[in-house]
Amino acid sequence: MTDERNPAWAPVARPRAHELVIQAIEDQIMSGALAVGDPLPPERDLAARLEVSRAGVREAVRVLEGQGVLRSRVGSGAEAGTFVAALPDAALTRFLRLHVALANFPFADVVDARVTLERSSAALAARNADAGALAAIEQTLARGAGPGVTPEEFNDADTAFHVAIAAAGGNRLVSSMTIAIRESLSTRILQALHDHDDWSSLAVRLHAQHVELFEALVRRDADAAEQLTEQHIRFADQELPAVR
Amino acid sequence: MTDERNPAWAPVARPRAHELVIQAIEDQIMSGALAVGDPLPPERDLAARLEVSRAGVREAVRVLEGQGVLRSRVGSGAEAGTFVAALPDAALTRFLRLHVALANFPFADVVDARVTLERSSAALAARNADAGALAAIEQTLARGAGPGVTPEEFNDADTAFHVAIAAAGGNRLVSSMTIAIRESLSTRILQALHDHDDWSSLAVRLHAQHVELFEALVRRDADAAEQLTEQHIRFADQELPAVR
DNA sequence: GCGCCCTCGGTGGTCTGACCTCTGATGCTA
DNA sequence: TAGCATCAGAGGTCAGACCACCGAGGGCGC
């Protein structure tokens, strides 16, 4: 029973100081004692209370700041200090961009995930978009058209178009993930556009698909919007193999 | 022209030391100079090269470690040091759990996102699951059945069931997101099970739905699997309002 | 010659204490 | 009363020390 290969005696992980601090902060959030907008104690106080060094506290704050959970401001008074912030979009985008770059997610998986999420976003947008959201989508359409458009402008407008649809759907989690995936691909798509033989005629075709999709949203035709979204993404994927 | 309200003169963000270090490491990853498994220079070297203090380097490493991009090991020799790791699942799960807890994502959005992703996972699993994956799913089924099952056991088995389906689909990104969302809800679901009037009969019904879904997967019936998944999730959501 | 053990060096982990910059609040002064 | 100088407290940064850990390599005994 005391066989040294007994998995019950596997080495126990020694928690590091900053992990204890993270856990302490997480516990406060999970229990509801800390909500968005609430301030944390000053780093020096927190270090003294948790009996770790200030460096340990700072490392923990940095980790949670990187996840978009906290936000620090220098200075004095009510405006200064560290607060619970909950700004997930930028953090989620960076997260996905890094892991896509590390090829940790195969490229086909990313495209399929994008199709899944953007189909859902498109259907939600067709059902829920109000006039303002539709106008915002239409504005991005104009930016990507015209004869003199550069790849940079087109790519920015394309990103903005898909992001606007995701936002119009009204589901914050789906739109955050949609935006994060689209933006994680942005620089690669731009590069692929530059490398494309005849990118300006490709831009015309992609823009036409955008217009078609937008019209489906205006008609409130969720099924068509889903199908057009999938066709559009798969078409672009096929035309820009250099993205991989 | 030098109007002080001119937005061109908005304050420029002064980058902090650890952000420069993060950027430097990210650049290496984006350019392909650093790939999974590669070691970073020792903290002291990196600090000297980037002309920041070791504390700044450590904060940057901690942030990327928290995102699952790096991994540090103490000691000496080839095994020790900081490496590019790419372990996104645990980091993504923590990320979502925190942001769901902060109510940054409305609960209905989380349920809808879960439906979207798990429908996709179920369809993929129906098409792609091999014998081993199906056997793994079936194993989790057995754990959640029986008369003497506790809420904890049922919840663990339920999580494992959904996670196994997501894994069986073969799309790593979709399955990571599916798993992260399901696990971010796990503790709340467990609490709701405890609070339910007649949880054991509810468990029987949920288990029956699991069996039905599993049979659809075995039949390779993707459409049925999608529909059963959505029905199952929405049923559970309705029966466990305390989750909110 | 072989194998064990032990020291050594380099790694991340932690802490201390100092100093900086920033900025709201305070209170003095004109 | 308006304006300005000072202050205090917050995060930002740094230098330096010491610790725990663990592979590598050398030395010793067999």
Side-chain angles (χ1 to χ4, degrees):
Chain A
M1 284 305 121
T2 52
D3 182 349
E4 62 191 19
R5 284 181 304 273
N6 187 330
W9 296 105
V12 58
R14 236 170 318 84
R16 295 176 289 181
H18 80 276
E19 287 174 340
L20 296 174
V21 179
I22 290 175
Q23 193 60 53
I25 297 173
E26 268 192 34
D27 288 347
Q28 297 292 304
I29 290 173
M30 288 297 167
S31 72
L34 274 180
V36 174
D38 291 349
L40 262 66
E43 290 175 356
R44 291 163 175 85
D45 288 11
L46 205 47
R49 287 198 222 176
L50 299 177
E51 294 184 342
V52 297
S53 72
R54 200 182 148 206
V57 172
R58 288 180 58 77
E59 287 176 10
V61 168
R62 284 286 141 78
V63 171
L64 294 173
E65 208 180 1
Q67 318 241 15
V69 174
L70 299 179
R71 177 89 185 253
S72 292
R73 279 189 293 266
V74 295
S76 144
E79 298 293 309
T82 302
F83 297 83
V84 179
L87 309 161
D89 288 33
L92 185 55
T93 297
R94 212 211 332 274
F95 180 95
L96 285 181
R97 201 179 66 228
L98 276 174
H99 284 286
V100 169
L102 287 167
N104 194 46
F105 296 120
F107 205 83
D109 286 10
V110 179
V111 173
D112 286 343
R114 201 187 152 196
V115 168
T116 296
L117 288 168
E118 294 214 20
R119 279 185 69 130
S120 175
S121 285
L124 286 168
R127 294 196 192 93
N128 304 332
D130 57 23
L134 286 175
I137 297 171
E138 195 169 14
Q139 271 198 337
T140 69
L141 267 181
R143 287 171 43 202
V149 67
T150 65
E152 281 78 9
E153 287 166 352
F154 180 81
N155 186 47
D156 286 351
D158 182 68
T159 303
F161 176 73
H162 289 276
V163 165
I165 290 177
N171 185 316
R172 300 248 311 282
L173 179 50
V174 170
S175 75
S176 287
M177 291 190 294
T178 303
I179 291 167
I181 291 180
R182 176 61 182 81
E183 296 200 337
S184 73
L185 299 175
S186 187
T187 58
R188 290 182 179 223
I189 288 176
L190 177 58
Q191 188 58 50
L193 282 175
H194 268 121
D195 295 348
H196 194 272
D197 293 335
D198 184 13
W199 92 268
S200 66
S201 88
L202 174 63
V204 171
R205 279 181 290 169
L206 291 172
H207 182 259
Q209 294 176 354
H210 283 183
V211 172
E212 205 178 351
L213 171 55
F214 175 67
E215 286 166 354
L217 297 180
V218 173
R219 297 199 300 276
R220 307 273 178 214
D221 187 342
D223 288 339
E226 279 197 44
Q227 286 194 1
L228 289 169
T229 299
E230 173 151 12
Q231 286 168 20
H232 171 59
I233 294 174
R234 299 223 180 269
F235 171 77
D237 178 45
Q238 219 165 21
E239 285 290 316
L240 295 170
V243 173
R244 315 191 173 195
Chain B
M1 284 305 127
T2 52
D3 182 350
E4 62 192 16
R5 287 183 302 275
N6 185 329
W9 296 105
V12 57
R14 239 172 323 82
R16 296 176 287 182
H18 81 276
E19 288 174 340
L20 295 174
V21 179
I22 290 175
Q23 194 58 54
I25 297 173
E26 267 192 36
D27 288 347
Q28 296 293 303
I29 291 173
M30 288 299 168
S31 73
L34 274 180
V36 174
D38 291 349
L40 263 66
E43 290 176 357
R44 292 164 176 85
D45 287 12
L46 207 47
R49 287 198 222 176
L50 300 177
E51 294 184 342
V52 297
S53 71
R54 201 183 150 205
V57 172
R58 287 181 59 75
E59 288 176 11
V61 168
R62 283 285 138 79
V63 170
L64 294 173
E65 208 179 3
Q67 318 244 39
V69 174
L70 299 179
R71 176 89 184 251
S72 292
R73 280 190 293 267
V74 294
S76 139
E79 300 293 309
T82 301
F83 297 84
V84 180
L87 308 161
D89 288 33
L92 185 54
T93 298
R94 222 225 316 280
F95 180 94
L96 284 182
R97 202 179 65 228
L98 276 173
H99 284 286
V100 169
L102 287 168
N104 194 44
F105 296 121
F107 205 83
D109 287 9
V110 179
V111 172
D112 286 343
R114 199 186 155 200
V115 167
T116 296
L117 288 169
E118 294 212 20
R119 278 185 70 128
S120 175
S121 285
L124 286 168
R127 294 196 192 95
N128 303 332
D130 57 23
L134 286 174
I137 297 170
E138 193 168 18
Q139 271 198 338
T140 70
L141 268 179
R143 286 170 44 199
V149 67
T150 66
E152 282 78 8
E153 287 165 350
F154 180 81
N155 186 46
D156 286 351
D158 182 69
T159 302
F161 176 74
H162 289 276
V163 165
I165 290 177
N171 185 317
R172 300 245 312 281
L173 180 50
V174 169
S175 76
S176 287
M177 291 190 293
T178 303
I179 292 167
I181 291 181
R182 177 60 183 82
E183 295 198 338
S184 74
L185 299 175
S186 187
T187 58
R188 289 181 179 223
I189 288 176
L190 177 58
Q191 189 57 49
L193 282 174
H194 268 121
D195 296 348
H196 194 272
D197 293 336
D198 185 12
W199 93 269
S200 67
S201 88
L202 174 61
V204 170
R205 279 180 290 168
L206 290 173
H207 182 258
Q209 294 176 354
H210 283 183
V211 171
E212 204 178 351
L213 172 54
F214 175 68
E215 287 167 354
L217 297 180
V218 172
R219 292 201 303 277
R220 307 273 177 210
D221 187 342
D223 289 338
E226 279 197 44
Q227 286 195 0
L228 289 169
T229 299
E230 174 151 11
Q231 286 169 19
H232 171 59
I233 294 173
R234 300 225 180 267
F235 172 78
D237 179 45
Q238 215 165 25
E239 284 290 315
L240 295 171
V243 173
R244 316 190 173 196

